[in-house]
Amino acid sequence: MDLAYFHLIDRIIDLDIDAKTIVVEAQVPQHSTIFEGHFPGYPLMPGVLLIEAMAQTSGWLLIALMNFERMPFLGAVKEAKMRVFVTPGELLKIEASVLHEGSGFAITKAKVSVDGKPRCNATITFGHVPFPNADLRGHMETMAKRIGYPEQAMPHD
Amino acid sequence: MMSSTFDQVATIIAETCDIPRDTITPESHAIDDLGIDSLDFLDIAFAIDKAFGIKLPLEKWTQEVNDGKATTEQYFVLKNLSARIDELVAAKGA
């Protein structure tokens, strides 16, 4: 994770286009100014950032399903449950699957676990639109390569 | 068919948006009368898609309205929305 840049996903472990599922890993940093305030003497990964990590995981899945032609944006978070604290240095496994693909929107279910034990989960709604500009699409493609997008999930005609 | 579709849609809207069921009529405009915004309408679309096994073409409808080729009444007055749903269900079975 690079919290300063809001890059919460480190690498893709599995992306299954047919099953519409994704698994990623994300290492919570050992040190961050965020932990100085949240909380002093008792550092915890903020729940909002865990939700964002689940949203980013879902987003990478949706981008692959839409062949890098559309960009999902967070619309709604439901049934978000922070079950167990996440602390600095922990390695998160984040999984997401598609619950529904509508016209211009999609709903995913996502969960975070550590060593096989659930930490949090949520149902997330995204609106999606054609990439608003080439810069953003290019940036997302670069990011995709950096986090290990499988070749078959990269944009294709 | 028509009344049954409307009843299902009205129930979905009432439950999804916490709107009293008896205030929802076939003449209600989802946006103008019931105050449903685009984000809340996604929940309704999700429920309708699931209930009827269809995919409401929201993007196409929005584009038509934005282009001046259709009015919001054609799609978002509930008797018209119900008719559109019936058409989509019929097209699916054809």
Side-chain angles (χ1 to χ4, degrees):
Chain A
M1 285 183 181
D2 186 348
L3 294 178
Y5 281 89
F6 234 51
H7 294 164
L8 299 183
I9 305 306
D10 291 335
R11 68 195 73 84
I12 291 174
I13 303 302
D14 185 59
L15 198 168
D16 189 328
I17 301 284
D18 295 330
K20 299 178 182 178
T21 58
I22 189 171
V23 182
V24 310
E25 278 184 346
Q27 180 96 46
V28 179
Q30 196 66 49
H31 301 284
S32 165
T33 53
I34 287 172
F35 298 134
E36 294 174 19
H38 192 280
F39 294 96
Y42 196 64
L44 295 177
M45 183 69 169
V48 288
L49 290 180
L50 293 168
I51 290 172
E52 176 65 22
M54 290 189 280
Q56 290 188 12
T57 302
S58 300
W60 285 117
L61 171 61
L62 295 175
I63 287 174
L65 294 176
M66 297 184 292
N67 193 26
F68 274 82
E69 289 172 358
R70 299 173 70 93
M71 177 74 183
F73 292 96
L74 182 60
V77 180
K78 293 181 183 171
E79 296 294 326
K81 293 183 177 174
M82 306 300 121
R83 298 174 184 280
V84 180
F85 290 153
V86 172
T87 54
E90 290 197 296
L91 179 63
L92 310 182
K93 178 184 178 188
I94 312 173
E95 300 167 79
S97 60
V98 173
L99 181 62
H100 184 69
E101 290 174 284
S103 170
F105 74 100
I107 302 172
T108 67
K109 290 177 81 74
K111 62 181 176 182
V112 175
S113 59
V114 176
D115 293 332
K117 297 198 172 87
R119 294 297 180 90
C120 54
N121 59 276
T123 302
I124 309 174
T125 301
F126 298 83
H128 53 72
V129 296
F131 270 100
N133 59 53
D135 282 353
L136 177 58
R137 177 173 168 152
H139 169 76
M140 296 307 285
E141 287 185 20
T142 302
M143 280 292 297
K145 287 176 187 152
R146 191 182 303 163
I147 62 174
Y149 239 56
E151 190 57 40
Q152 65 269 24
M154 291 302 289
H156 53 82
D157 296 326
Chain B
M1 183 78 177
M2 171 68 202
S3 64
S4 134
T5 301
F6 166 74
D7 284 339
Q8 285 187 72
V9 170
T11 301
I12 285 170
I13 290 173
E15 290 175 353
T16 306
C17 298
D18 202 17
I19 295 171
R21 170 65 184 83
D22 57 9
T23 63
I24 304 171
T25 73
E27 305 300 326
S28 300
H29 190 302
I31 303 163
D32 297 343
D33 296 329
L34 302 178
I36 298 166
D37 69 13
S38 58
L39 187 57
D40 282 335
F41 203 83
L42 295 187
D43 287 333
I44 294 166
F46 173 40
I48 288 174
D49 286 358
K50 263 199 314 184
F52 293 94
I54 57 173
K55 185 163 162 177
L56 283 185
L58 293 181
E59 281 193 298
K60 177 168 165 278
W61 292 354
T62 304
Q63 193 63 52
E64 286 176 10
V65 169
N66 289 344
D67 292 345
K69 293 175 181 165
T71 63
T72 59
E73 285 75 12
Q74 286 173 252
Y75 298 124
F76 296 106
V77 168
L78 298 191
K79 66 179 180 186
N80 298 335
L81 176 62
S82 300
R84 299 290 88 76
I85 291 169
D86 286 342
E87 290 167 5
L88 290 162
V89 171
K92 187 185 64 159

